[in-house]
Amino acid sequence: MNTTLAPQAAPTELLDALDRQLVHALALDGRASFSRLAAVLGVTDQTVVRRYRRLHGERLLRVIGLPFSDRVGISESWLRIQCAPGAAMPIADALARRPDIGWVKIQSGGSEVACVVRSYSADERDALLLQKLPRTQHVTGVTAQSLLHTYTTTTGQQWMDDSGLTEEQTRALARPCPDPGEETRLDAADQAMLAVLARDGRTGYPELARAAGRSESTVRRRLEHLRDTGAIYFDVEILPEHFGLTVQAALFATVAPHNLAEAGEALSRHPEIPWLAAATGTTNLVGSVVCRDRGALYTYVTERIGALRTVQQLEVVPVLRHVKRAGLLTDGSRLFEPPGH
């Protein structure tokens, strides 16, 4: 199913100032209660409920709960799949329907599909890379890079900084960053709960309890524990266009190994970079870039990235279309696409 925004309005016209503040607030704490959101934003509970229901009901926004792969034993690989002319869309659609695939994009002039594959074992990953993809008709080449370390978790909080939230409001909603700890093993009940949260991160505790087969109090405690230890996090899926960011690209950078952490930390602090990870291969930093327009992208590449002497080589590849976004266990439908996509 191809879900599009209402054709009568451009994406940047759909959110007013309060909508943007609410989106930013949810990016800071996706499960904050409506009453808490209302108190921080200085409006009534009914206003927040009405705004959220409109944004969610019109498929402009979705809160999702996802496992943080580095901390729950999930291995991730970044794939660049070269396709024969005209084959990118069917291949991207097929990949988007897989529950282990996220961030499916068509880029590089429409001849390349990029995605992230997540797996709990090498066998799961290898079945896709060594058997299924190589035998797929019209796939002419596959490049796979294992993701070693993610420098960012939530996507978009930095480029939402111009939403109008004050520093005091941001502090009131922001959760403390969890300290790195031991790997958390997710059991079957956790997996069932996450399957629901990946579709709607604001699902109530009664439904989560039914899915997990646990009591509401147990689910509440378990969810807070998983959040506090950094095993799972909550993110907001929304088109960057709603914040005036019309150009998206993939970034591939080469950095000397001894400079990798320094460069990764520096880039991850840039508001133009919603996601960044260290990876195997020659281009050992991979990420996403969002900018207001092509001129802003040029300025960012030449001035901001250009000022980082640790970056030796850089490839910036335009993203033509998002077929699937972050959700790990989504239904694979193309959510939140602007008109004409």
Side-chain angles (χ1 to χ4, degrees):
M1 180 177 66
N2 184 3
T3 305
T4 60
L5 302 182
Q8 66 270 22
T12 53
E13 297 172 346
L14 294 176
L15 272 66
D16 62 16
L18 181 56
D19 288 334
R20 293 187 180 199
Q21 290 181 347
L22 176 57
V23 172
H24 192 176
L26 289 168
L28 293 166
D29 185 356
R31 286 191 66 84
S33 67
F34 287 128
S35 60
R36 182 163 174 246
L37 292 168
V40 171
L41 296 178
V43 297
T44 66
D45 292 14
Q46 292 83 356
T47 298
V48 169
V49 171
R50 185 172 63 252
R51 294 294 183 115
Y52 173 78
R53 286 179 176 171
R54 181 184 75 84
L55 294 172
H56 186 264
E58 295 181 8
R59 304 179 75 84
L60 301 175
L61 169 147
R62 179 172 63 167
V63 176
I64 54 174
L66 299 172
F68 189 29
S69 299
D70 290 355
R71 299 184 184 180
V72 298
I74 296 177
S75 65
E76 294 185 312
S77 297
W78 179 261
L79 304 187
R80 299 179 69 177
I81 304 164
Q82 287 72 47
C83 310
M89 194 68 244
I91 291 171
D93 274 338
L95 288 168
R97 287 192 290 271
R98 292 179 58 101
D100 57 345
I101 298 288
W103 291 114
V104 182
K105 311 173 185 180
I106 297 177
Q107 57 191 33
S108 188
S111 62
E112 180 177 284
V113 176
C115 65
V116 172
V117 56
R118 302 179 175 105
S119 57
Y120 282 98
S121 70
D123 289 342
E124 292 178 6
R125 179 198 61 209
D126 293 347
L128 177 65
L129 296 181
L130 301 179
Q131 299 176 29
K132 295 181 180 179
L133 277 176
R135 293 202 297 263
T136 301
Q137 191 176 17
H138 303 308
V139 169
T140 60
V142 178
T143 302
Q145 295 174 267
S146 294
L147 302 184
L148 304 176
H149 176 75
T150 303
Y151 295 99
T152 53
T153 52
T154 53
T155 58
Q157 285 188 18
Q158 295 183 98
W159 51 258
M160 292 178 189
D161 283 346
D162 63 353
S163 66
L165 286 187
T166 65
E167 291 186 11
E168 182 179 0
Q169 288 173 314
T170 300
R171 286 195 300 270
L173 288 166
R175 291 175 61 90
C177 184
D179 295 325
E182 294 183 1
E183 184 177 293
T184 300
R185 287 294 177 183
L186 302 177
D187 59 23
D190 294 331
Q191 297 279 9
M193 181 171 61
L194 273 172
V196 176
L197 292 172
R199 293 190 295 271
D200 183 359
R202 293 185 62 82
T203 299
Y205 290 107
E207 185 175 341
L208 293 177
R210 287 193 295 272
R214 292 171 169 169
S215 68
E216 288 186 38
S217 59
T218 298
V219 164
R220 187 185 296 268
R221 288 194 302 270
R222 180 60 173 170
L223 183 56
E224 283 303 306
H225 172 73
L226 292 175
R227 295 187 76 183
D228 290 341
T229 58
I232 69 172
Y233 66 96
F234 288 85
D235 202 359
V236 167
E237 285 195 329
I238 189 166
L239 283 176
E241 284 93 330
H242 293 312
F243 284 77
L245 304 168
T246 63
V247 172
Q248 300 179 55
L251 176 149
F252 303 92
T254 300
V255 178
H258 63 278
N259 290 326
L260 186 57
E262 177 187 351
E265 293 293 343
L267 284 168
S268 69
R269 290 191 291 269
H270 292 180
E272 296 87 352
I273 302 287
W275 177 79
L276 185 76
T280 57
T282 304
T283 54
N284 49 4
L285 278 177
V286 299
S288 300
V289 182
V290 291
C291 290
R292 293 196 175 277
D293 50 38
R294 287 180 295 176
L297 177 61
Y298 174 78
T299 300
Y300 174 64
V301 169
T302 57
E303 297 182 7
R304 299 291 303 282
I305 299 182
L308 299 177
R309 302 304 179 189
T310 53
V311 176
Q312 299 172 341
Q313 295 183 28
L314 181 69
E315 180 184 7
V316 178
V317 180
V319 173
L320 303 182
R321 182 172 185 174
H322 278 276
V323 180
K324 184 179 182 181
R325 293 185 178 266
L328 178 65
L329 297 172
T330 62
D331 59 9
S333 61
R334 294 189 290 277
L335 302 176
F336 316 114
E337 292 291 356
H341 281 227

